[in-house]
Amino acid sequence: MLGGAGMLLAAGPARAADISYQTKCIPPAISGLPPVQGTTVVQLTAPAEAEVGDTVEVVWKTVQGASKNPDILDLDKDTVKPTGTIKVGGAATGTLTMEGPRQNPPIPKGSDMVLPDMKGTLKLEKAGEITLTPDGYNINVSKPLPTDTKCTPEETVRPGATIKVTEAGSGTTTGGTSSGTSSGTSSGTSSGTSSGTSSGSTSGTSGGSAAAGGTATGGSAGSTGTGGADGGGTTSGSGGGGGQTDFPGKKVAVQFACTSPGPAAISSEVTIDARKNGGSYALTVKTAKGVMDSPAALPAGALKPSMDVVVGGADKGSVKVTGPANTEPLEQGKPVDLADMTGTYKPGASGRATLAPGTLTIDVTLGTSKISIPCTTKGTVTPSLQLDTTAQEGGVSGSTGAGSSGAAGSTGTTAGSGGSGGGLAATGAEDHGTLRALGLVAGTAVLLGGAVFTFTPWRRLRGLN
């Protein structure tokens, strides 16, 4: 037995047989290619035995990837970097984040993918047998354009290794396992309090119990707002009377699926604030920092965001908000902060209206070439703000904005009162003219990225060269 610096190797490493499972891989949206079905073969290595309190190393060896490198592009040396997750089960639950170096031999087109081993460290906090099961993984390729291929299991995967954890001396511990960005199981309740009432009223309060945190809605004048949460935040701040002018919204998590050649998906928190101006409201919409990676090296003024804010509740329709273009040049593959977007909401109906994030559009302009990338919301979107409105002549009631995600409470892609849900749809390149335009922006004729692992011939993309 060799122990030191929190690392334990006892009775030699435990290496189970190779684990094979059917896998679905989503190529980068820029390729326009469909998902790939293939078989992943993984070998996990971990200590056979360890003690509570030890930190152990787990190694993921990809014996076989889901598919080969396409017959179109050679991958240079040290351009491929894998990351993945392992499910921790048995005596503890959680996930273990795995990461490999950007290290690979040159990979000719049409040949097998060669992925470096991924490693992760696991802190053992409870006695018993712990199982390690390979889960999804991601392949990042840095050249000629940074791209990601995300692969997820299509069937139940059996454990790839087991660690027998024994007590260390007389000490006892509780809880699960965790490492890096992973965490063990947890439980509890939380409550939230928010205000947003008009002058002279008490603030709305809720003590909702939820796994993701209780939230609340502010009540209207003279009332008390109550509410819980179902897997996520709800809205805050109702108003429109008593002289109140500023109505801050709550941050809500939103999943966007984008049309090629944009990113396959964007996950962001969105906040909608309002300031009353007469009978109308000046809206300011903010997204999280680093909401997406720049598709190419872009000059100042090339990228501009806009959004359709979905109006629901007593009012119906959408409001267009726009933001200024980037003021500084953007580096290829680096995170992009979208500017705050502004617009005016003129109510078309009296009552309590909700405002929720809708379709986000990213416009990229270079010279006379312009690309518009719409990113539609997925699942049910929680409103960020509620307002007590009074109908104004020429208000939005009854109107619909192009590409909006629907009114609160409707079906499909909607803005409602629940938490966010649903996965991200796979997207394809239905518009080759748009891909060609992005080729001008990126300054290269080959923007496919070696991370697209597919058996599908790329003949239909060769016309872009």
Side-chain angles (χ1 to χ4, degrees):
M1 181 182 297
L2 172 63
M7 301 298 295
L8 176 74
L9 296 175
R15 178 177 298 171
D18 292 351
I19 305 301
S20 301
Y21 54 96
Q22 292 301 304
T23 308
K24 180 179 181 180
C25 295
I26 306 298
I30 193 173
S31 72
L33 296 173
V36 179
Q37 304 288 341
T39 301
T40 298
V41 181
V42 173
Q43 187 180 90
L44 297 184
T45 302
E49 297 180 2
E51 292 184 349
V52 171
D54 288 332
T55 298
V56 298
E57 182 179 72
V58 181
V59 179
W60 170 321
K61 179 179 179 61
T62 303
V63 179
Q64 176 183 304
S67 63
K68 297 183 178 182
N69 183 30
D71 189 19
I72 188 67
L73 185 68
D74 294 333
L75 299 182
D76 293 339
K77 182 177 182 294
D78 298 339
T79 58
V80 177
K81 178 182 177 68
T83 54
T85 56
I86 289 177
K87 291 183 178 179
V88 180
T93 58
T95 57
L96 174 62
T97 299
M98 306 295 289
E99 183 175 354
R102 193 175 298 281
Q103 185 177 19
N104 61 278
I107 305 176
K109 53 189 175 185
S111 64
D112 292 335
M113 291 302 304
V114 181
L115 303 179
D117 293 348
M118 295 184 282
K119 297 181 179 181
T121 56
L122 184 67
K123 179 76 177 293
L124 306 177
E125 299 180 351
K126 188 175 182 180
E129 287 195 346
I130 293 178
T131 60
L132 304 174
T133 304
D135 197 32
Y137 58 97
N138 180 76
I139 313 281
N140 176 267
V141 173
S142 58
K143 295 180 180 180
L145 184 74
T147 55
D148 290 288
T149 295
K150 299 183 183 297
C151 301
T152 54
E154 288 284 274
E155 61 178 325
T156 300
V157 185
R158 61 187 177 90
T162 300
I163 305 174
K164 183 179 179 180
V165 184
T166 57
E167 294 286 358
S170 60
T172 59
T173 61
T174 60
T177 65
S178 63
S179 73
T181 58
S182 65
S183 61
T185 56
S186 63
S187 63
T189 60
S190 59
S191 63
T193 302
S194 69
S195 64
T197 60
S198 57
S199 175
S201 67
T202 60
S203 61
T205 304
S206 82
S209 168
T215 59
T217 60
S220 58
S223 66
T224 301
T226 61
D230 184 9
T234 60
T235 60
S236 168
S238 63
Q244 184 177 351
T245 57
D246 291 327
F247 303 97
K250 286 288 186 181
K251 290 183 179 179
V252 293
V254 186
Q255 298 275 357
F256 296 95
C258 303
T259 299
S260 179
I266 291 177
S267 297
S268 178
E269 288 185 331
V270 178
T271 305
I272 303 174
D273 298 329
R275 168 170 288 188
K276 191 173 183 182
N277 184 11
S280 299
Y281 296 86
L283 303 183
T284 300
V285 179
K286 302 177 181 180
T287 59
K289 300 295 184 182
V291 70
M292 61 175 287
D293 292 339
S294 178
L298 300 175
L303 189 146
K304 184 176 181 180
S306 63
M307 179 180 286
D308 295 320
V309 175
V310 179
V311 182
D315 208 355
K316 296 292 186 291
S318 66
V319 177
K320 176 72 73 174
V321 293
T322 59
N326 58 300
T327 57
E328 300 291 335
L330 302 177
E331 296 183 44
Q332 178 178 310
K334 297 294 184 180
V336 175
D337 297 338
L338 299 182
D340 293 350
M341 294 166 277
T342 59
T344 300
Y345 165 48
K346 179 182 289 187
S350 299
R352 178 162 293 184
T354 61
L355 301 179
T359 297
L360 171 68
T361 301
I362 300 168
D363 292 328
V364 179
T365 302
L366 188 63
T368 58
S369 299
K370 180 177 180 180
I371 309 165
S372 290
I373 304 172
C375 300
T376 57
T377 58
K378 297 297 295 180
T380 300
V381 181
T382 302
S384 174
L385 185 65
Q386 294 187 59
L387 296 170
D388 290 334
T389 61
T390 301
Q392 304 293 311
E393 183 177 354
V396 303
S397 185
S399 67
T400 56
S404 68
S405 58
S410 63
T411 59
T413 305
T414 64
S417 61
S420 61
L424 294 173
T427 58
E430 299 176 357
D431 182 356
H432 284 183
T434 305
L435 272 175
R436 188 175 293 107
L438 185 59
L440 294 175
V441 175
T444 175
V446 182
L447 294 182
L448 306 175
V452 183
F453 306 141
T454 176
F455 294 110
T456 305
W458 291 25
R459 290 188 294 271
R460 62 191 181 99
L461 292 177
R462 290 176 179 169
L464 298 180
N465 294 340

